[in-house]
Amino acid sequence: MSSRSLLIFCVAFTACIAERGPLTNRMAHSSTSYLARAARQPVSWQPWGREAFALAARLDRPVLLYVGSDVCRWCAETDRAIYTDPEIGALINALFVPVRVDRDERPDVAQRYQAAVERLAGLEGWPLTVFLTADGAPFFGGTYFPADDPVTGRGLKQILPEVARSYRDQRSFIMQQAAMIRQLVLNGGGASRGVLHTAVIRREIARVRGSLEQAARMHAVSGSVMHAEAVTLLLAVAARDRDTLSLATARRALDLMMDTAAGNAGEDPPRLVYAAIAGTLAKAWVVTGDERYRELGGTMVRAAARELAKSEDGHAIFADQEAYVIEAVMLSAATFGDIPAGQGARSALDHLLRRTYARGAGVRHGVSGSSATQALLQDQVRVASACLVAHQLTDESRYLDVAVDLAAILERAYADSIGGYSDMALTSSSAPGTPVSSAPPLADRTKHFLDDVLPGANAAAARFLLHLGEVTGDAAYRRRAQSTLEAFAGSVAGAGIRASTFLSVAWESMGSP
């Protein structure tokens, strides 16, 4: 028997023993269809939770964390070609505690480890493959790894034994590396205070314009929320400053997005992309008067409204994404004069509030089939913003009441004393109704302001508070918005397209700097 065959036999034998012990695939009863589909894979996937990390500590193994999504092309390829491979399954089961996470169900976990991979490997995108210590700290990782690559050694069949060996033989170094990366993630996700200087905001907007122009020349502008936010920023600049360069760049990028929208060439959920592009087309029509934008935008708004109606049939939804789509449809429908679509969006908002919102307790993340009920910043911000828009369009006070209540919850449960808002609520027993976070084990509360699958949570919070101050006449909300922007002003330099929402809100708050 060859040495390689002997290794495979030993690993498989060890994995079989493990299967009769603590490691079995536990995805069959998962709360999302993405996780449940992995139940037949030969990998003994564990759900994200304290139990998996306690198991890793007891077995003295590292954790292999895999984060994917239903709409991620490379996630589907990884599941098809890699995690169905019995040899890889045997290696993982023998050497690691494998944990699988749905990006949409646990955006807090996804963002935290995405930031870690950016610092570890300089990589962005999905899926995430990250190796963690038993206390949840990342020490090695990347995005997509092939199954086998003996030439470069970057295939999983080469990486898995090497990572396990390093964890066993170089534990001190591994722990130091993990502690350093953890601190970098905390610092990078935290607030770096600064002043909103006019010159800085203009410079960063110019960088967004340059990045978007380059992407357009390379035909790399795809259907994504990030690109939609960048185009929206440039449209606002063009309208206010009569900036023909920003307008030309925005239109080139938007034309490409219109071409790719039907196929959703990006990695965002299609309904988010449709809503984002519909909203951008509405703004483009107002700025340019181009009937192409009105015609396609109207079609996309009606399609998005039909999708919202399907959300009322009881299937699993996530509050942050649902509220984002609802708000975009309400605004776009009002712009295009589509009364039925607007009414449908408000009906969807009422349904969402009934399913996720409780006065004084905030908004929970997952409903109907998802067990993820923790309180997340993005949920509170997106639902609050949608309610504020609904109030402005209908003048119904009940929507404003929800927005004001959620603004109070932001301050009470999410606000950081050094500025900005954390991604998860603090657990509190002192204030009745305070959101209780089912925080992931060993997780650090972090703060995010850059755009990703959704606009950056702190940037969106600043926009909501700014608009709430305008609607209510309460200057305290504007001060909170300004303080939130200043909390991240020192971190915006060089962030590029991902800073588009932050820059848009800063631009608005400064009154055309």
Side-chain angles (χ1 to χ4, degrees):
M1 180 181 291
S2 69
S3 59
R4 179 173 176 79
S5 299
L6 180 61
L7 171 63
I8 294 172
F9 172 79
C10 292
V11 167
F13 179 73
T14 306
C16 290
I17 295 174
E19 282 294 319
R20 292 196 295 271
L23 283 182
T24 57
N25 187 310
R26 296 178 56 195
M27 294 292 103
H29 302 292
S30 297
S31 50
T32 72
S33 58
Y34 173 74
L35 295 177
R37 283 198 298 274
R40 295 184 179 180
Q41 292 177 355
V43 181
S44 295
W45 295 115
Q46 306 296 297
W48 175 268
R50 293 185 180 279
E51 186 177 340
F53 288 90
L55 180 59
R58 188 165 67 249
L59 297 178
D60 194 28
R61 296 182 184 179
V63 170
L64 188 161
L65 173 66
Y66 179 76
V67 183
S69 166
D70 258 329
V71 299
C72 162
R73 177 169 60 92
W74 285 106
C75 301
E77 175 63 19
T78 299
D79 280 332
R80 184 194 66 79
I82 295 175
Y83 290 132
T84 55
D85 186 324
E87 182 181 342
I88 289 180
L91 278 168
I92 292 172
N93 295 340
L95 301 174
F96 302 90
V97 173
V99 175
R100 189 177 178 95
V101 169
D102 184 328
R103 180 191 70 183
D104 298 324
E105 182 185 39
R106 296 307 303 258
D108 53 325
V109 175
Q111 283 188 309
R112 185 171 298 111
Y113 290 106
Q114 182 187 46
V117 168
E118 288 177 17
R119 285 156 180 78
L120 280 163
L123 298 173
E124 297 180 8
W126 307 96
L128 297 180
T129 306
V130 197
F131 297 91
L132 318 176
T133 64
D135 66 352
F139 62 90
F140 179 75
T143 52
Y144 171 82
F145 288 101
D148 194 9
D149 190 351
V151 175
T152 67
R154 298 293 293 175
L156 280 182
K157 291 181 182 180
Q158 291 78 41
I159 289 173
L160 293 171
E162 184 60 33
V163 170
R165 187 180 306 112
S166 297
Y167 190 77
R168 183 186 67 241
D169 298 340
Q170 303 176 40
R171 185 68 58 88
S172 177
F173 172 79
I174 292 292
M175 299 306 289
Q176 290 176 6
Q177 168 90 344
M180 180 183 70
I181 294 299
R182 189 174 200 165
Q183 194 59 45
L184 286 173
V185 170
L186 281 174
N187 292 340
S192 178
R193 295 196 67 85
V195 178
L196 294 174
H197 291 297
T198 298
V200 173
I201 299 302
R202 285 190 177 278
R203 183 189 68 207
E204 295 308 316
I205 290 174
R207 285 180 172 174
V208 170
R209 184 174 60 239
S211 295
L212 196 61
E213 177 65 34
Q214 182 179 10
R217 284 198 302 268
M218 298 174 63
H219 289 261
V221 177
S222 62
S224 72
V225 171
M226 272 195 290
H227 282 147
E229 291 295 326
V231 171
T232 296
L233 167 64
L234 297 186
L235 287 171
V237 172
R240 187 179 293 176
D241 273 12
R242 297 184 179 180
D243 182 342
T244 56
L245 181 58
S246 289
L247 181 58
T249 300
R251 296 192 70 165
R252 276 193 292 272
L254 185 54
D255 286 347
L256 286 172
M257 292 171 68
M258 291 166 64
D259 291 340
T260 61
N264 185 32
E267 300 287 5
D268 292 359
R271 58 207 313 269
L272 291 186
V273 172
Y274 252 64
I277 296 179
T280 305
L281 288 168
K283 295 178 179 71
W285 179 58
V286 171
V287 171
T288 68
D290 190 330
E291 284 299 305
R292 292 183 306 132
Y293 298 145
R294 184 187 64 79
E295 291 171 4
L296 180 58
T299 299
M300 296 184 76
V301 165
R302 289 188 291 274
R306 287 194 295 270
E307 284 298 310
L308 284 175
K310 296 178 183 178
S311 299
E312 300 188 18
D313 64 7
H315 74 275
I317 62 169
F318 302 108
D320 54 352
Q321 295 187 10
E322 193 78 357
Y324 176 84
V325 174
I326 288 169
E327 179 179 342
V329 172
M330 286 192 296
L331 288 171
S332 303
T335 302
F336 294 131
D338 191 327
I339 295 175
Q343 290 175 336
R346 288 194 296 277
S347 173
L349 177 58
D350 292 340
H351 190 63
L352 180 67
L353 291 172
R354 287 193 296 270
R355 298 170 78 185
T356 66
Y357 167 73
R359 179 170 295 278
V363 178
R364 62 192 181 108
H365 179 62
V367 293
S368 292
S370 173
S371 61
T373 59
Q374 76 278 8
L376 299 176
L377 173 64
Q378 191 72 269
D379 299 311
Q380 320 309 312
V381 171
R382 296 261 55 107
V383 171
S385 183
C387 285
L388 186 59
V389 167
H391 167 71
Q392 292 175 291
L393 293 175
T394 66
D395 202 33
E396 291 188 34
S397 60
R398 62 191 179 98
Y399 293 123
L400 181 59
D401 290 343
V402 174
V404 170
D405 178 52
L406 290 175
I409 288 172
L410 287 182
E411 196 65 19
R412 186 174 70 230
Y414 294 86
D416 190 317
S417 60
I418 65 173
Y421 299 92
S422 296
D423 60 344
M424 296 181 298
L426 285 172
T427 301
S428 173
S429 58
S430 58
T434 297
V436 175
S437 168
S438 60
L442 319 160
D444 304 297
R445 297 175 82 224
T446 57
K447 294 179 287 186
H448 302 281
F449 77 101
L450 298 177
D451 298 343
D452 190 40
V453 176
L454 288 169
N458 272 275
R463 172 178 282 160
F464 160 66
L465 292 168
L466 190 65
H467 292 174
L468 185 60
E470 294 171 354
V471 169
T472 62
D474 188 340
Y477 292 126
R478 183 179 180 86
R479 288 194 296 271
R480 284 168 57 185
Q482 192 72 17
S483 176
T484 302
L485 292 170
E486 290 173 351
F488 299 91
S491 301
V492 72
I497 286 178
R498 295 184 66 192
S500 295
T501 300
F502 179 90
L503 294 170
S504 180
V505 182
W507 174 265
E508 180 182 353
S509 73
M510 298 173 73
S512 185

